[in-house]
Amino acid sequence: MYTHSCSNCAMSDLCLPLGLSKQEVQKLEEIVQTTAVKHVGDKIVRQGDKFDKLYAIKSGMCKAYRFDESGVEYVQSFHLPGEIFGLDAIYAKHYGFSVEALDTTVLCELDYRQLQNLCSEIPALQHQLFNLLSRDLYSSHVNPIEHFDQSAEQKLAGFVHNLLTRFQARGHNSLEMQLPMSRRDIANHLGLAPETISRLLKRFQNNEVLAIDNRIVSVLDVGKLQSLVHCHALEARITRRQVSKAG
Amino acid sequence: MYTHSCSNCAMSDLCLPLGLSKQEVQKLEEIVQTTAVKHVGDKIVRQGDKFDKLYAIKSGMCKAYRFDESGVEYVQSFHLPGEIFGLDAIYAKHYGFSVEALDTTVLCELDYRQLQNLCSEIPALQHQLFNLLSRDLYSSHVNPIEHFDQSAEQKLAGFVHNLLTRFQARGHNSLEMQLPMSRRDIANHLGLAPETISRLLKRFQNNEVLAIDNRIVSVLDVGKLQSLVHCHALEARITRRQVSKAG
DNA sequence: CGGGCTATTGAGCCGTGTCAAAGCCGGTGG
DNA sequence: CCACCGGCTTTGACACGGCTCAATAGCCCG
């Protein structure tokens, strides 16, 4: 199996070239383009635009968001290096979400039509793409349902912990993180009020779980943070989300 | 283009055989098995079981649910005829959700390995499967984020309206529906308390939106129901979910 | 007819949203 | 270099939706 050179994918078992022969990887690379650098606020795709490309983040951070029919904004996700977006637009033929850079960001562009043709030629590539779609589907099934039954504290702790884990998986071996998004974006993403985010961050600071300097967050106690994510899980909410009796 | 015979897929533009030649459909049918009938409470797959098959519902209704690490149950979805489940297990290699019949249910089984091989042979089938995955991904991106910012009333109204729409898309042209799931399942699915479901259903009854007889629900006023889904969208929650200023 | 599960109804409380005001930071222009 | 401005963030006071707990009623099945 060919070990490819895409440094950002080092931590992922789902980078597209995985499992491909040297020759096949070359074919894949022929249809990949690296875009110019994007800066804070630059839009990469706009909700409603015609779908033609998938994007993979090489460095930086992006936020994906949409406006519903009533003009209300929803921040769906924050994307880190190694992650691919646009997959949810294949069927609809139009992007369902706008994506913009929160930071200086470099991307790969993949023409979907070409990729699809290549998948017919290279079974291993088809296999990888099915896996990629399936993994995204799984996490978007598991994450939201667990979230929307949690307290604000659990949600925010989960959010910070999730980011930390993802940063660490990318080789960022420090407990300090730059969160380039606004409090309002975080609040929106978690379905909370911005004021609640402020109050909780302060509480986490008081409890010596986090240290916060504007948009720089340092995790002081990973264990405490983790326990905050699961804490209420057994005390409350057991009526709605019934605890298992059988196996 | 071959018009296939799967009556349940009549309303769907995503039934797998779509776009395939007669010959290709035949190949597909060779790897499809129809299971024995399942009855109320019968499990079709169990969370944690090794993944090997996808399932398509021919008739009946199922619920998909999982227990998290703390043993808390989450009802993820209710599946109707024409819908496929198991896609989110491709990557993980194990089912992430248990699925059980809520009703007398007939299913198709598709061996994934065989299907994947067939996709390499038949580009149109690969194309259909990418579309199917993408559509599921899209809806699991859009639905939950809009839900988890809604009032209990909006959630339940949305749930009923969604079911009605899906029943009607399947040719059920009546405003009366059998909801085979318990109040507890509905509550869990929506992230609410069962008591809240009871109270809201009564309120809908008082407002002459629904008529309820145990698990049989009749929609008396589709317009009112629809307006309940969107009602609070502009009054409240505008701080968190900011209303668009630009285009 | 009794047992057990499901559903309903009521009373009270807590978390989180809303509103309003003040503080902070970065950028711009005089 | 400093003053001003607008957006983001924080803080406080208050209200209310929906959860909890507890009791009652209905339904299915033996």
Side-chain angles (χ1 to χ4, degrees):
Chain A
M1 188 180 298
Y2 178 64
T3 321
H4 57 84
S5 58
C6 169
S7 63
N8 305 295
C9 302
M11 75 299 158
S12 166
D13 57 343
L14 267 190
C15 187
L16 284 175
L18 191 82
L20 272 57
S21 74
K22 204 163 187 166
Q23 206 179 22
E24 289 167 342
V25 172
Q26 200 167 9
K27 278 194 186 175
L28 180 60
E29 275 167 4
E30 277 170 25
I31 70 167
V32 174
Q33 289 175 1
T34 301
T35 60
V37 177
K38 299 285 180 178
H39 297 283
V40 184
D42 288 355
K43 292 203 171 57
I44 295 141
V45 301
R46 286 167 198 270
Q47 177 181 355
D49 277 4
K50 200 161 157 299
F51 165 73
D52 54 351
K53 293 192 184 70
L54 300 175
Y55 294 85
I57 302 183
K58 300 190 81 162
S59 68
M61 200 193 280
C62 301
K63 92 171 166 176
Y65 60 101
R66 62 180 261 115
F67 294 92
D68 70 7
E69 318 75 40
S70 323
V72 181
E73 182 178 356
Y74 295 86
V75 175
Q76 197 250 328
S77 55
F78 300 103
H79 290 295
L80 267 55
E83 295 175 354
I84 291 183
F85 60 83
L87 291 165
D88 55 1
I90 293 173
Y91 170 69
K93 309 266 192 303
H94 293 265
Y95 295 104
F97 295 84
S98 298
V99 179
E100 71 176 54
L102 289 170
D103 216 348
T104 304
T105 296
V106 183
L107 303 131
C108 290
E109 297 181 4
L110 277 152
D111 183 86
Y112 177 65
R113 190 166 295 278
Q114 290 178 31
L115 182 64
Q116 206 183 7
N117 291 337
L118 213 52
C119 281
S120 299
E121 283 182 43
I122 309 174
L125 184 60
Q126 172 194 281
H127 179 241
Q128 277 302 94
L129 205 49
F130 281 143
N131 276 330
L132 196 55
L133 276 155
S134 173
R135 188 185 54 170
D136 280 8
L137 191 57
Y138 177 76
S139 50
S140 70
H141 280 166
V142 170
N143 296 333
I145 62 172
E146 306 206 341
H147 277 163
F148 90 1
D149 191 49
Q150 291 175 321
S151 68
E153 187 172 82
Q154 284 176 282
K155 285 185 191 177
L156 186 59
F159 174 74
V160 174
H161 185 260
N162 173 284
L163 274 181
L164 181 66
T165 309
R166 284 155 73 199
F167 274 122
Q168 288 182 336
R170 280 153 188 80
H172 175 97
N173 54 359
S174 147
L175 294 172
E176 189 176 298
M177 304 184 282
Q178 235 262 336
L179 302 191
M181 71 293 281
S182 69
R183 301 286 134 105
R184 200 166 71 66
D185 283 343
I186 300 175
N188 185 310
H189 174 62
L190 297 175
L192 301 170
E195 293 94 328
T196 304
I197 304 294
S198 267
R199 284 187 253 267
L200 286 173
L201 285 178
K202 160 150 279 204
R203 190 194 299 175
F204 290 167
Q205 217 165 358
N206 292 340
N207 298 348
E208 288 162 334
V209 179
L210 302 179
I212 290 140
D213 175 20
N214 203 3
R215 294 191 178 182
I216 294 179
V217 172
S218 304
V219 179
L220 300 178
D221 190 330
V222 182
K224 273 193 204 166
L225 184 64
Q226 244 165 338
S227 72
L228 282 173
V229 180
H230 297 289
C231 69
H232 281 183
L234 281 177
E235 308 170 14
R237 325 277 150 145
I238 327 189
T239 316
R240 260 176 303 167
R241 309 296 199 176
Q242 205 79 7
V243 165
S244 172
K245 292 155 208 164
Chain B
M1 190 180 292
Y2 178 64
T3 319
H4 58 85
S5 60
C6 169
S7 65
N8 307 293
C9 301
M11 76 298 160
S12 167
D13 56 341
L14 266 189
C15 187
L16 285 175
L18 191 80
L20 271 59
S21 74
K22 205 162 184 169
Q23 207 179 24
E24 288 168 344
V25 171
Q26 200 167 11
K27 279 196 186 173
L28 180 59
E29 275 169 5
E30 276 170 25
I31 69 166
V32 175
Q33 289 175 1
T34 301
T35 60
V37 176
K38 300 285 179 178
H39 297 283
V40 184
D42 289 354
K43 292 203 172 55
I44 295 142
V45 302
R46 285 168 198 270
Q47 177 182 356
D49 277 4
K50 198 161 157 297
F51 165 73
D52 54 351
K53 293 192 185 68
L54 301 176
Y55 294 85
I57 302 183
K58 299 190 82 164
S59 68
M61 199 192 277
C62 300
K63 92 171 168 178
Y65 59 101
R66 62 180 263 115
F67 294 93
D68 71 7
E69 317 76 41
S70 321
V72 181
E73 181 179 356
Y74 295 85
V75 175
Q76 196 249 329
S77 55
F78 301 103
H79 291 296
L80 266 54
E83 295 175 356
I84 291 182
F85 61 83
L87 291 165
D88 55 0
I90 293 173
Y91 170 69
K93 310 266 192 303
H94 293 266
Y95 294 104
F97 295 84
S98 297
V99 179
E100 70 176 53
L102 290 171
D103 215 349
T104 304
T105 296
V106 183
L107 303 130
C108 290
E109 296 182 4
L110 278 151
D111 184 84
Y112 178 65
R113 189 165 297 279
Q114 290 179 29
L115 181 63
Q116 207 181 5
N117 291 337
L118 213 52
C119 281
S120 299
E121 282 181 43
I122 310 176
L125 184 60
Q126 172 195 280
H127 179 242
Q128 277 302 93
L129 204 50
F130 280 143
N131 275 331
L132 195 55
L133 277 155
S134 173
R135 187 186 55 171
D136 280 9
L137 191 58
Y138 176 76
S139 50
S140 70
H141 280 168
V142 169
N143 295 332
I145 61 173
E146 305 205 342
H147 277 161
F148 90 2
D149 190 50
Q150 292 175 323
S151 68
E153 188 174 79
Q154 286 176 281
K155 284 185 190 176
L156 185 59
F159 175 73
V160 174
H161 185 259
N162 173 284
L163 275 182
L164 181 65
T165 308
R166 284 155 71 199
F167 274 123
Q168 288 183 335
R170 280 155 186 80
H172 175 98
N173 54 358
S174 147
L175 295 170
E176 189 176 299
M177 303 184 283
Q178 234 264 335
L179 303 190
M181 71 292 280
S182 70
R183 301 281 191 264
R184 199 168 72 66
D185 282 343
I186 300 176
N188 186 309
H189 173 62
L190 298 175
L192 300 170
E195 294 93 327
T196 304
I197 303 294
S198 266
R199 283 187 254 268
L200 286 173
L201 286 178
K202 159 150 281 202
R203 191 193 299 174
F204 290 167
Q205 217 165 359
N206 292 339
N207 299 345
E208 289 164 331
V209 179
L210 302 178
I212 291 140
D213 176 21
N214 203 6
R215 293 191 180 182
I216 294 180
V217 172
S218 304
V219 179
L220 300 179
D221 190 331
V222 182
K224 272 193 203 166
L225 184 63
Q226 245 166 335
S227 71
L228 281 172
V229 180
H230 297 288
C231 71
H232 281 183
L234 282 176
E235 308 170 15
R237 326 275 151 147
I238 326 190
T239 316
R240 262 175 301 166
R241 308 295 198 173
Q242 205 79 9
V243 166
S244 171
K245 294 156 206 160

